[in-house]
């Protein structure tokens, strides 16, 4: 069974650790700059499933999710390129600019592809891009699960990721190659705009309409 | 009350006319290259609400929906620029390339903005971009409505469009300025890819997750 680690104690880090500890088999390694702080936070979750440690410790896992802002993920990847070799690294970032009016990437680029270019010997998966952190508190809205669009250029890794995370109360959809994050990341900003207009921010995500259930992917 | 016309008897034209005749107040003007053909097709719908005519006749309405392929809309707009002055022109097109592998527009461009640039004295609204024609047969899936993202740079026209079309069994969301079609149109291609993978093509659309209901827009 693939081991999992999540790095960072921000909104997305906490949200992911809480859901992973509640729903996944095995332990979740939670890496923090301050493991003591992570251990304190873990008391509010299903603590027996969580092992807290340093960022360094978290590199041991098979599937590694850095829950940092987009720019910090790039720095972290460059600094740990060798240690991340052959690992599945999950990119959950949206490279918004400072005032959330646009992106630090150009049109036709994506954070996920940039991370893969920085880590040519790792396998990058894009996931949880459209899922604002508050959605993790309640991924089932009016009896319907929020969708997570899972992308990757390595079919086997996409399947492994979906199988491993499928117990979470989201619907995981195979959304094609990493290049699709050019659209997926941009859609997150549109969600943000909609959430503000309709008064639901930061509880916003997406669902694809018309798929009866997430049947085993081809 | 704003009068409505729909041009074209292709899949989207038929789908729009059928839903409009079934749900909207007043008559729907259906413009066709061959009005006789449109009149024949209308017999299958709620016929007393439909007035068939030529493309020329259809220019009389206040809200005009050309249900043509993206390239044909541009030609039609150029040829009818004067007649379309001060009208609301609804762009429903996605400028896919010939083999549906990408777009005829560059990243950071959109069909809706191009149409507005061609028709500076008309008011362009983007709508029904993510809604494949088969969705019109059943816009309510598992008790949930498909979302239509409505965009425009003229707030008043966006509100008028939403008010006029709101009786249709879709959820209409105000999705901001025309520039958001850079993302919205690209998302349609991602939907197509998902629909093929999950075996639902061409029944695919999207829903925004977390908005309790489409409350009156701000």
């Amino acid at each position: 069974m693939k081991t999992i680690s999540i790095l960072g104690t921000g909104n997305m880090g906490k949200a992911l650790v809480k859901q992973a500890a509640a729903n996944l088999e095995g332990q979740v390694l939670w890496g923090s700059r301050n493991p003591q702080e992570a251990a304190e936070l873990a008391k509010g979750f299903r603590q027996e499933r969580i092992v807290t440690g340093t960022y360094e410790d978290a590199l041991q896992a098979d599937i590694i999710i850095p829950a940092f802002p987009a720019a910090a993920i790039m720095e972290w990847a460059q600094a740990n390129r060798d240690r991340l070799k052959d690992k599945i690294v999950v990119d959950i970032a949206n490279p918004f600019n400072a005032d959330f009016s646009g992106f630090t990437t150009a049109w036709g680029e994506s954070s996920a592809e940039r991370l893969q270019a920085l880590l040519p010997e790792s396998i990058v998966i894009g996931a949880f891009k459209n899922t604002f952190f508050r959605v993790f508190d309640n991924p089932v809205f009016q009896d319907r699960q929020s969708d997570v669009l899972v992308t990757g250029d390595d079919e086997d890794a996409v399947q492994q990721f979906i199988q491993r995370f499928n117990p979470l109360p989201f619907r995981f959809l195979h959304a094609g190659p990493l290049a699709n994050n050019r659209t997926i990341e941009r859609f997150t900003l549109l969600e943000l705009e909609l959430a503000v207009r309709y008064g639901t921010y930061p509880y916003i995500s997406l669902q694809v309409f018309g798929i009866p259930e997430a049947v085993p992917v081809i």
Side-chain angles (χ1 to χ4, degrees), chain A:
Chain A
M1 195 176 64
K2 297 274 178 189
T3 57
I4 292 168
S5 69
I6 294 159
L7 285 78
T9 54
N11 283 331
M12 280 297 282
K14 278 188 286 193
L16 278 163
V17 167
K18 187 177 179 182
Q19 279 290 353
N23 294 288
L24 298 186
E25 279 185 75
Q27 287 187 310
V28 178
L29 187 48
W30 194 2
S32 173
R33 192 187 302 135
N34 181 351
Q36 198 60 39
E37 186 200 351
E40 278 301 311
L41 289 167
K43 288 181 186 167
F45 308 154
R46 194 167 163 178
Q47 203 181 350
E48 73 278 10
R49 293 273 186 90
I50 301 170
V51 179
T52 50
T54 62
Y55 287 156
E56 185 77 7
D57 295 333
L59 298 174
Q60 296 162 21
D62 305 308
I63 300 179
I64 299 173
I65 310 182
F68 305 141
I73 291 176
M74 300 300 160
E75 284 176 39
W76 166 84
Q78 273 179 310
N80 294 285
R81 187 181 296 199
D82 293 340
R83 299 284 305 276
L84 293 168
K85 192 179 165 186
D86 299 327
K87 306 279 190 181
I88 294 177
V89 180
V90 183
D91 181 41
I92 66 167
N94 294 292
F96 298 144
N97 63 14
D99 68 356
F100 290 70
S101 64
F103 289 80
T104 59
T105 43
W107 286 96
E109 294 180 352
S110 69
S111 159
E113 289 167 287
R114 286 214 308 207
L115 185 60
Q116 183 66 81
L118 269 180
L119 299 174
E121 296 186 289
S122 306
I123 303 161
V124 172
I125 294 288
F128 295 113
K129 298 258 176 188
N130 300 126
T131 318
F132 282 71
F133 72 93
R134 191 62 59 73
V135 176
F136 286 80
D137 294 341
N138 184 14
V140 181
F141 177 73
Q142 296 176 339
D143 297 329
R144 220 52 62 83
Q145 290 179 335
S146 167
D147 285 340
V148 174
L149 301 179
V150 183
T151 52
D153 294 337
D154 183 311
E155 273 300 308
D156 192 49
V158 172
Q159 306 287 0
Q160 285 183 38
F161 176 85
I162 291 176
Q163 277 173 27
R164 195 71 179 84
F165 278 80
N166 217 28
L168 263 61
F170 293 89
R171 181 171 73 165
F172 291 89
L173 296 177
H174 184 334
L178 283 183
N180 283 353
N181 288 291
R182 298 170 191 183
T183 297
I184 291 169
E185 294 170 13
R186 300 266 163 181
F187 196 84
T188 311
L189 190 61
L190 183 61
E191 279 180 25
L192 191 155
E193 194 178 323
L194 285 160
V196 170
R197 181 172 292 110
Y198 287 96
T200 71
Y201 182 83
Y203 185 72
I204 193 93
S205 182
L206 71 83
Q207 293 174 314
V208 181
F209 175 96
I211 296 179
E213 54 188 305
V215 291
V217 293
I218 306 162

